[in-house]
Amino acid sequence: MLLASIEPLEWSSYLLHQAGTLIFMAMMLTAYRYLSIGTHAYSLSMLFLLIHIIGARYLYSYVPYDDWSHALLGFKLTDYFGWQRNMYDRLVHFSYGLLLFAAMYNGLKAILRLPSPRQLIAITLLLNMASSMLYELFEWGIAMTLSAEDAEAYNGQQGDMWDAHKDMALALLGGLISAVLYTFTPLKRVLR
């Protein structure tokens, strides 16, 4: 986070994003201490946080992944996939579901003490969807209170009126993939 703070693209949006980072870090430290969040789940959560910090540094819409892929692979991802927008924001929302599923599962397991893993998976997916929706409502509130330029810089909608819907769907898709991996692989031993 300190490295990302060196000359970010736009300070006010960057600070707003990093306020969320600090809140998330406090929640994860508390969960690690009091809810027995395992090291594996904690590591995946920190990977998500790193992805988010990179997005905050460049304001999601301007993360230069095309420059990085061109330097590393010799082609730009946007050209290769035919994208019309910067897709980093989509990656973050997908990662939210994929990488935070284990921490949500462990936290709910400690709080609810349900005997059925299937019930716990369903409730974890509901938490994924509800928290994703709450974040999109927060972004909507930002859009309504800031200037149009500042709202666009923070939200990164890039002119897509269905941005919030797609973001929530990608978070759910990531969570579903993690749920399937948990159900059908040895990963469930790690999550317990």
Side-chain angles (χ1 to χ4, degrees), residues 95-109:
S95 298
Y96 178 82
L98 185 73
L99 299 175
L100 295 183
F101 179 86
M104 289 180 186
Y105 182 91
N106 281 342
L108 288 170
K109 184 177 182 181

Side-chain angles (χ1 to χ4, degrees), residues 152-184:
E152 177 59 34
Y154 180 82
N155 289 342
Q157 293 173 322
Q158 302 175 64
D160 184 358
M161 66 185 242
W162 302 107
D163 180 68
H165 302 79
K166 292 173 184 176
D167 291 347
M168 290 184 290
L170 283 169
L172 176 59
L173 177 62
L176 287 169
I177 290 169
S178 285
V180 168
L181 288 173
Y182 169 78
T183 304
F184 297 109

Side-chain angles (χ1 to χ4, degrees), residues 11-122:
W11 271 104
S12 62
S13 292
Y14 172 76
L15 292 174
L16 192 54
H17 280 293
Q18 294 304 36
T21 302
L22 293 174
I23 292 168
F24 181 80
M25 288 173 66
M27 288 172 45
M28 285 308 300
L29 288 171
T30 303
Y32 187 75
R33 172 74 171 98
Y34 296 107
L35 297 179
S36 303
I37 301 295
T39 304
H40 180 263
Y42 194 78
S43 298
L44 290 174
S45 298
M46 292 304 105
L47 178 58
F48 168 76
L49 193 59
L50 178 63
I51 292 168
H52 163 72
I53 289 170
I54 291 169
R57 163 79 172 88
Y58 293 101
L59 298 180
Y60 288 100
S61 300
Y62 305 106
V63 174
Y65 61 78
D66 272 333
D67 295 341
W68 300 338
S69 68
H70 190 264
L72 290 171
L73 306 171
F75 64 90
K76 294 182 177 183
L77 292 174
T78 299
D79 295 341
Y80 184 78
F81 289 108
W83 293 333
Q84 301 298 312
R85 68 185 307 254
N86 187 303
M87 297 298 255
Y88 195 83
D89 180 56
R90 302 280 194 251
L91 170 69
V92 174
H93 288 279
F94 176 74
S95 298
Y96 178 82
L98 185 73
L99 299 175
L100 295 183
F101 179 86
M104 289 180 186
Y105 182 91
N106 281 342
L108 288 170
K109 184 177 182 181
I111 294 168
L112 301 177
R113 302 181 191 275
L114 291 174
S116 169
R118 289 181 188 196
Q119 287 176 333
L120 201 51
I121 287 171

Side-chain angles (χ1 to χ4, degrees), residues 140-161:
W140 176 48
I142 292 289
M144 299 306 288
T145 58
L146 296 178
S147 69
E149 298 82 26
D150 289 342
E152 177 59 34
Y154 180 82
N155 289 342
Q157 293 173 322
Q158 302 175 64
D160 184 358
M161 66 185 242

